[in-house]
Amino acid sequence: LSSSALSSEACVLDLLQTALARSPGPWLELRLHDRRARSILVEDGTLEAARVTRHCGVGVRAFVDGAWGFASTSELDLPAVLRAIDAATKAAAAAARGRRAKAASPTSCAFPAGTWQSPARVPLSSMSLADKIALVHQTDAAVKTAGTRITSSSCKYSELIDEKWIATSDGARVHVVDTKPELRVQAVAERDGELQSCVEAAGHTGGFGDLFARRSAEEMALRAAQTATDLLRAGYVDGGKQKVILAPDVVGLLVHEAIGHTVEADFVLAGSAAAGKLGQTVASELVTLCDSGHSEYVPGAGGVVLVDDEGVAAQKVTIIERGILKSYLHNRETAAHFGVAPTGNARAFEFDNEPLVRMRNTYIEPGSTALADIIADTDEGWLLAGAKNGQADANAEFMFVVGEAYPVKNGKLGALHRGTTITGNAFDVLKSVDRVGNHFAWDLGSGYCGKGQPAKVDAGGPHLRCTAVLAGGQGTDDAGDSK
Amino acid sequence: MTTTTTFSGPLTRASDAPTMLARQTEQETLDVCETVMRRAQKKGAAQVEVWGEHAVSTNASLEQNEVKGAATAEHAAFGIRVIVGAGADARVGFCYVNRKDSASLDEAIDDALAIARAAGPDLGNDLVEPRPVRAIGGLFDRRVVALSADDAVGLAARMLHAARDVDSRVSIDSGYVAVAHGTVAIATSKGIRLADTDSSVMWGLFGMAVDGDDVGSFENVSEAVRDFAAIDVEKSGREFAQRARALLRPRAGRSFVGPAIFAPEAFDEIFLSALSASVDGDAVRKGKSRLKDRLGTRIAARGFTLVDDGTLPGGNGSAPFDREGLPHRRTVLVGDGVLHHFVYDGRTAKRAGRPPTGHAQGSARSLPGIGLTNVRLAPGTLSDDALLGALGQGLVVGRFSGNVDEVSGDFSGVAKASFAVKNGRKTHPVQETLIAGNVFELLPRVVERGSTLHRLVAVDCPAVLVDGLKVTAGA
C-alpha cells in the first residue's frame, strides 16, 4: 500500500484479511494503526518547536500453546505483514517453551463492525497549520502580558489523529477513527529571586468545540498567570492528617491513580489491594465509581475509546457501586480467567505496542450537595485543586501532587496557599468520604498515564470531602518532632 | 562498534557477520538521509538535517510470576529538520516519519517546509558546523546481536526463578528482558555525514512481596549493559526479592526535621534530576534555572563533584556523536561543590552566544533537545554501615514518589521503600511518610557520601547523607 492508499478502508481490511487467510493455525490479531500528530510549542514569544509526525504500521499478536507473541512492521505490504505474523508466531512459541502453565486463551465475544468515529465538535481540520501556530503565539502572549511578575510564558498545542483497522482470526473486523487535541499553558512568576509556576491544561477527545467548551485559550492563559503570581505570596500548608475537599481534577487523580490501577485485572492477578475484594465494602456508600469508554455526563472526555485495541466495544464499567466493589477492568485474556465478559479496556498506544489493560474515563458519579454547602459545613480543612501528577502502590497507598491549596475555617474559604502532596490508603480515603458534590467535570484529559507505554485517559467527578495526609511545607517546621 | 564518517573514514575493521551487517545498515540508512537532504534542498530548504534510525529489538516479558510473551521488531525512522531563510530571518520546520518509501518521505519534507514557512524567525535556527568525531569502544557487542527470542525468554525465566527461589512470598507483577541493536545516521547540509551502531541488553522486575493480608510496597530493579559478559539476571532477581520482602510489615514513621540517607535511586530522582534541569543551557537562558547566575560559585557542600561524560567506554549513555552530529565530551558540571559548566545544543548555544557542548539529545521523533549522557557523582569514604552510623537516628529514603519542581527546586512526595533508623541501624519499613524540601537549599547540607557507586542505567551515584529534610508521618 502506498501512504495515500490508507484512505481506503476496504483496501486496508483486504490486506489484513488476506494476511489472516494465508496464516491458518495460531490465533492472530492484526492492528494497523496510522497516527498523525502535530505539536506546536511557543515559549516567551519564540516558536521553539513545531512538528508533524507520522507513525504508522501493523502490530501482530499471536497466541500459541498458551503464550503470547508480538511483532510489528512499518511496511504495509502483504509480504511484510506475513513476515510479522511469522515473527509473532515464533515469539509466542518461544514464550510457550518458557512457561510453566498455559495462559487463558482470549475469551470469545461479539465484535462491533464497520467504522466507529469519536464525535468531534468543530473538527481539527477546520483550522490551518498557520492558524494553529497563530493561536499558540496569541495564548503565549496573553500569559506574558497578564502581569508584571510574569517572567516566562509558554503554550503548547498538540493533537493526535488516529485511524485504526483491527482484524482477528476469530472474527473482529473494525475501523476506528479518533482525534484528541490538547492545550497546555504555563506561566512563571518571579519576585526577589523566587520563582513560581502554574500550568493550566485541557485535553479532550473531539475537536476545537470540545477543547474550548469549558474555557477559551485566553482564559486559561490569564488563570495560569494569576495563579503563578498569587503563589509568590502564598503561605504553606500544615502537614498531617486533614479533612480535605477535593476539586474534580484531584478527584480524577484519586480515582485514577489510587483505585483505578488496583482494579486493572492484570494488577489484580498480581495481587493488588483489590484482589479478592469483589462484593466487599471498600468505600463510603456515597461513592459510585465507574470507568467508561464513552464520555458520561459531559461530552469530550479525553479518554474516549469506542472500540478497544482487541476489537471489543468499550463498555461502561461500574467498579464500585454505593461502596461495594463490583467489577475489575478486563481485556479478553483476563476476562477468560475471571469468567466474565471483556470490558473493552485493552489499549495499545501505537502500532508497535501490545494492548494492555488500561483505564479510559474514570469518575465518581455526582451526588446532591452543592460545593458552597460542603464548604459551609466544614469547620477546618483544605480545598485542594490543580492536580499535577500521582502514583499508586500495590497496597493502595497513593501519592499525588496538587498545585493549589485553600484553607477552610469555620465554613469559610481562605486565600490560595502553595501546593502540596497528599498521601493515604486509597480505600481508607474513599471510606472517609462524607460529602459528594453535585457538579460534574472531566478534568484530567491532558497528559498521559504511563504503564510501560503511555495512554490518553481522563478522569473526574464532583467535589468530594474526605480525610487524607498532607505534606507540610516550609514555615511549618515548628510542626515539630513527634518522637 | 562501527562508525562511518566523511572526516576519518571507517574507524573499525572488524569483519564478523554482525559487524559487517551493521556496516551495511549504516550505509543504507546514511544513503536515505542524504537522499532526503538533497530532495529537501531542491524543494527550497536553505539548510537540512536528516537523522535516521534503524532499530532491531527482541523482548521477553513476565507477568504474574510467569513468562507472559515475547516480541520482536525491526523499524526505520527519519527526523527531518529544514530551515528556510538565513540569519535573523531563519525559520525552522520538523517532520518525523517511520516509512522510507519515496511518497512518504516527500510528504514529510513538504510538511516540514510548510511548518518552516508558517513559523516565526529565530537567530538560533542555524545547523552546527562539523567537528571531528572519534569512535568509542565497548558500545557494540556481536554476541548481544546474536541473542534470539528463545534466549530472551530464557533470561527472563532465570531472573523470575532467581527471585522466587529467594522467597516464595515475592510476587512478580511484571518484568522484561530487552535486547536491542540500533543504527543512527545523520546527514546535514553543513557537511556532517556520520553513522554508528550500538547494542544493549536491559532487564527489570516490578512487583511486591505478599504475606496474607500484608501487601508490601512496590519494588523494582532495572539494569542495562552493553557487554554480553556483564549480563547477570539472576543477581537482579535475588536483589529484587531481598528488597521486596524487606518492605513487609511497614509501620508508621515519625515526623521530624533532620538528617536522612538518600539511597542512590532517591538521590537521583530528586537531586540529580533537578540539577540536570538547572544546568540545561536553555533553562539558564530563559531564566528558568535557579543556577542561572551561579557559575563559579559554591552550590553544594565540599567534595560534591558531578561529571557528565558521553565518551565513557561501554557507557549506557555513551555515543561518538550527539543528536546534531557533534562529538560527545567529558564535562565537570560541579567540582568540589562549585558550579563549573552549563550544557548546550547547537540552537541554544547560538542563541546564548556560546559554543555548543555536544549535549544535543533525542530521537528521530522530535527536534534535538538538551540532555546529559553518563552522569557520575563522586563517591565518599563511608561504607553503607558507616553511613548508617553517621546518621544515627532518622530515615533512609529508598525511592521517591512525588514531585520535584525543576524551576524552584521544591520537592515533596512519599518516601517509598524507606526505613526508620535508630542507633545506626534500620529498624522497620515506614508507610505513608511524606518528605519535603528544596534541592538547592539541601545541596550545601550534604554531610557524607557512601563509598559504593551504584549504576542506575546512565547514572553512577552513591548513597548520600543530607541534613535538614522535613519528614511528615501519616499515621
Side-chain angles (χ1 to χ4, degrees):
Chain A
L1 290 178
S2 75
S3 57
S4 55
L6 278 189
S7 57
S8 163
E9 178 198 341
C11 179
V12 175
L13 276 179
D14 278 352
L15 168 73
L16 301 185
Q17 289 190 140
T18 305
L20 284 173
R22 294 206 191 168
S23 311
W27 179 92
L28 290 169
E29 173 188 275
L30 309 184
R31 175 171 40 86
L32 192 154
H33 184 175
D34 189 7
R35 164 164 288 173
R36 291 171 187 268
R38 288 189 182 83
S39 68
I40 300 157
L41 170 66
V42 170
E43 289 182 354
D44 297 322
T46 301
L47 184 78
E48 284 292 322
R51 63 176 169 153
V52 176
T53 66
R54 182 167 184 220
H55 195 65
C56 176
V58 181
V60 177
R61 277 207 306 176
F63 189 77
V64 177
D65 202 17
W68 293 93
F70 182 77
S72 56
T73 177
S74 56
E75 304 296 321
L76 301 181
D77 53 44
L78 185 61
V81 176
L82 290 173
R83 281 196 302 275
I85 288 174
D86 184 54
T89 306
K90 285 178 173 159
R97 287 190 283 275
R99 285 184 70 95
R100 291 179 172 178
K102 291 184 182 184
S105 47
T107 195
S108 57
C109 59
F111 296 106
T115 294
W116 291 67
Q117 182 153 10
S118 302
R121 294 173 284 174
V122 191
L124 301 181
S125 56
S126 66
M127 193 186 278
S128 70
L129 180 65
D131 287 343
K132 287 171 184 169
I133 291 175
L135 169 73
V136 179
H137 269 295
Q138 286 160 15
T139 309
D140 172 74
V143 174
K144 205 57 172 281
T145 55
T148 55
R149 298 283 182 198
I150 301 299
T151 57
S152 183
S153 59
S154 73
C155 178
K156 183 177 184 182
Y157 168 79
S158 50
E159 61 185 32
L160 298 178
I161 299 168
D162 287 321
E163 193 163 12
K164 298 178 191 178
W165 292 260
I166 299 162
T168 65
S169 54
D170 56 0
R173 298 284 185 279
V174 70
H175 174 221
V176 183
V177 181
D178 184 90
T179 57
K180 295 195 192 303
E182 182 176 325
L183 193 82
R184 295 174 72 82
V185 185
Q186 184 179 31
V188 180
E190 180 173 9
R191 191 177 70 168
D192 301 333
E194 184 192 348
L195 298 167
Q196 286 291 338
S197 65
C198 177
V199 173
E200 291 290 321
H204 292 275
T205 301
F208 291 110
D210 301 286
L211 184 62
F212 299 125
R214 208 171 80 189
R215 51 190 183 156
S216 68
E218 186 180 12
E219 286 170 323
M220 291 167 65
L222 295 179
R223 186 167 196 285
Q226 187 64 54
T227 306
T229 305
D230 291 347
L231 283 170
L232 288 172
R233 46 180 81 239
Y236 289 87
V237 168
D238 303 327
K241 204 164 214 169
Q242 309 259 9
K243 189 147 274 192
V244 291
I245 300 167
L246 308 179
D249 61 335
V250 186
V251 170
L253 201 50
L254 175 74
V255 298
H256 174 93
E257 291 297 343
I259 304 295
H261 283 299
T262 71
V263 297
E264 291 169 341
D266 53 342
F267 274 161
V268 173
L269 287 170
S272 80
K277 289 191 175 158
L278 283 180
Q280 293 183 18
T281 299
V282 295
S284 152
E285 69 167 11
L286 296 174
V287 172
T288 292
L289 195 159
C290 307
D291 179 81
S292 177
H294 302 268
S295 191
E296 315 288 345
Y297 295 106
V298 179
V304 166
V305 174
L306 299 181
V307 177
D308 80 359
D309 288 313
E310 292 183 325
V312 175
Q315 310 292 319
K316 172 185 163 185
V317 183
T318 301
I319 298 166
I320 296 172
E321 187 173 18
R322 297 179 60 79
I324 311 286
L325 186 64
K326 291 287 187 181
S327 177
Y328 301 133
L329 305 176
H330 293 286
N331 61 13
R332 293 183 64 188
E333 181 190 355
T334 65
H337 181 95
F338 282 90
V340 297
T343 54
N345 283 86
R347 300 181 63 186
F349 188 59
E350 290 178 331
F351 77 88
D352 42 358
N353 298 122
E354 295 179 65
L356 303 175
V357 179
R358 307 300 295 262
M359 283 170 268
R360 301 150 313 180
N361 303 304
T362 315
Y363 63 97
I364 285 182
E365 292 198 337
S368 56
T369 314
L371 173 62
D373 293 337
I374 299 177
I375 293 170
D377 186 32
T378 304
D379 292 337
E380 183 151 17
W382 294 88
L383 190 154
L384 305 174
K388 287 189 170 176
N389 58 327
Q391 294 168 19
D393 209 328
N395 53 11
E397 184 182 39
F398 68 88
M399 84 84 210
F400 44 85
V401 179
V402 297
E404 302 162 38
Y406 302 84
V408 180
K409 280 199 175 150
N410 302 320
K412 299 256 190 287
L413 194 64
L416 173 68
H417 281 54
R418 290 166 203 239
T420 185
T421 300
I422 316 171
T423 187
N425 179 283
F427 293 111
D428 290 346
V429 169
L430 279 193
K431 282 177 183 165
S432 75
V433 169
D434 61 1
R435 296 287 185 279
V436 179
N438 60 6
H439 175 73
F440 183 95
W442 294 114
D443 206 2
L444 211 69
S446 65
Y448 294 86
C449 167
K451 185 177 170 182
Q453 54 179 275
K456 291 298 291 183
V457 297
D458 209 339
H463 284 82
L464 282 191
R465 192 175 75 177
C466 54
T467 303
V469 181
L470 304 185
Q474 291 173 16
T476 56
D477 286 0
D478 60 357
D481 189 333
S482 62
K483 64 189 169 191
Chain B
M1 215 286 324
T2 66
T3 297
T4 304
T5 155
T6 54
F7 309 118
S8 55
L11 292 173
T12 59
R13 297 180 191 284
S15 59
D16 58 273
T19 308
M20 294 295 282
L21 188 59
R23 293 291 300 282
Q24 187 184 331
T25 304
E26 287 173 6
Q27 195 56 56
E28 287 171 4
T29 309
L30 194 55
D31 286 347
V32 176
C33 291
E34 293 196 79
T35 302
V36 172
M37 184 190 75
R38 283 193 293 273
R39 276 196 219 166
Q41 285 177 307
K42 273 190 188 164
K43 285 172 179 274
Q47 295 186 50
V48 189
E49 170 197 85
V50 184
W51 177 266
E53 296 171 353
H54 182 267
V56 180
S57 62
T58 302
N59 300 336
S61 57
L62 301 171
E63 192 175 275
Q64 298 139 31
N65 300 314
E66 258 288 19
V67 171
K68 160 81 174 170
T72 62
E74 181 169 355
H75 294 152
F78 296 91
I80 305 163
R81 171 159 52 160
V82 299
I83 293 169
V84 298
D89 192 43
R91 299 153 193 265
V92 69
F94 179 85
C95 188
Y96 156 84
V97 64
N98 71 333
R99 316 202 53 209
K100 52 185 175 185
D101 61 276
S102 302
S104 297
L105 289 166
D106 270 338
E107 185 183 321
I109 295 167
D110 292 341
D111 281 342
L113 283 167
I115 290 175
R117 287 170 182 140
D122 185 77
L123 185 66
N125 292 327
D126 185 18
L127 299 178
V128 297
E129 300 293 336
R131 285 191 206 163
V133 167
R134 289 188 304 167
I136 296 170
L139 304 186
F140 181 80
D141 189 334
R142 59 190 168 78
R143 294 168 299 178
V144 168
V145 175
L147 289 170
S148 66
D150 270 307
D151 294 327
V153 168
L155 287 168
R158 279 161 52 193
M159 177 167 63
L160 169 69
H161 298 146
R164 300 272 290 171
D165 286 350
V166 169
D167 194 323
S168 61
R169 295 173 299 174
V170 170
S171 178
I172 305 299
D173 175 72
S174 60
Y176 67 93
V177 171
V179 181
H181 62 279
T183 294
V184 296
I186 180 169
T188 78
S189 54
K190 289 277 182 94
I192 291 174
R193 305 276 188 284
L194 292 164
D196 181 54
T197 301
D198 65 13
S199 58
S200 65
V201 183
M202 300 180 74
W203 62 92
L205 285 174
F206 179 78
M208 63 280 191
V210 181
D211 190 358
D213 287 340
D214 185 8
V215 179
S217 186
F218 277 136
E219 185 54 88
N220 72 301
V221 292
S222 61
E223 296 278 347
V225 299
R226 296 195 184 272
D227 177 6
F228 177 82
I231 299 170
D232 191 349
V233 293
E234 281 100 341
K235 177 167 168 273
S236 299
R238 289 191 297 271
E239 278 180 11
F240 170 81
Q242 285 155 3
R243 285 161 58 167
R245 72 175 173 187
L247 300 177
L248 286 170
R249 292 179 299 281
R251 287 153 45 193
R254 63 185 184 92
S255 300
F256 67 96
V257 179
I261 293 171
F262 288 85
E265 289 91 342
F267 195 79
D268 178 39
E269 286 161 14
I270 299 171
F271 291 85
L272 298 186
S273 69
L275 270 174
S276 301
S278 301
V279 298
D280 178 317
D282 196 45
V284 170
R285 195 186 67 84
K286 290 173 179 160
K288 290 181 180 174
S289 166
R290 267 276 286 257
L291 302 179
K292 63 182 194 258
D293 302 317
R294 301 293 302 278
L295 265 189
T297 69
R298 176 165 302 285
I299 63 159
R302 286 192 187 281
F304 190 98
T305 294
L306 189 69
V307 175
D308 176 71
D309 187 356
T311 68
L312 196 68
N316 289 316
S318 296
F321 53 89
D322 76 354
R323 172 65 176 78
E324 294 179 314
L326 291 182
H328 277 137
R329 57 166 72 174
R330 181 178 186 276
T331 307
V332 177
L333 303 169
V334 182
D336 200 21
V338 175
L339 180 63
H340 282 316
H341 289 289
F342 298 130
V343 296
Y344 296 91
D345 64 356
R347 181 163 59 157
T348 307
K350 185 95 180 171
R351 287 167 165 180
R354 303 182 66 92
T357 59
H359 284 91
Q361 278 201 349
S363 71
R365 283 187 94 147
S366 59
L367 282 164
I370 297 174
L372 300 178
T373 57
N374 300 296
V375 176
R376 181 180 188 270
L377 176 62
T381 55
L382 296 185
S383 67
D384 288 353
D385 283 347
L387 202 60
L388 282 169
L391 171 64
Q393 182 154 322
L395 184 72
V396 173
V397 182
R399 283 183 290 108
F400 176 70
S401 174
N403 191 56
V404 181
D405 185 324
E406 292 172 345
V407 177
S408 67
D410 286 337
F411 66 87
S412 72
V414 181
K416 307 295 292 188
S418 297
F419 294 84
V421 176
K422 199 168 184 182
N423 299 325
R425 286 169 180 265
K426 288 182 184 176
T427 55
H428 59 85
V430 297
Q431 62 186 3
E432 294 181 21
T433 299
L434 289 157
I435 58 172
N438 181 283
V439 167
F440 301 105
E441 288 163 19
L442 291 177
L443 279 174
R445 303 184 71 177
V446 169
V447 179
E448 297 281 1
R449 284 160 290 118
S451 57
T452 307
L453 277 184
H454 297 259
R455 176 155 291 184
L456 313 166
V457 185
V459 174
D460 287 350
C461 185
V464 182
L465 172 55
V466 183
D467 199 6
L469 183 71
K470 181 174 177 58
V471 180
T472 306

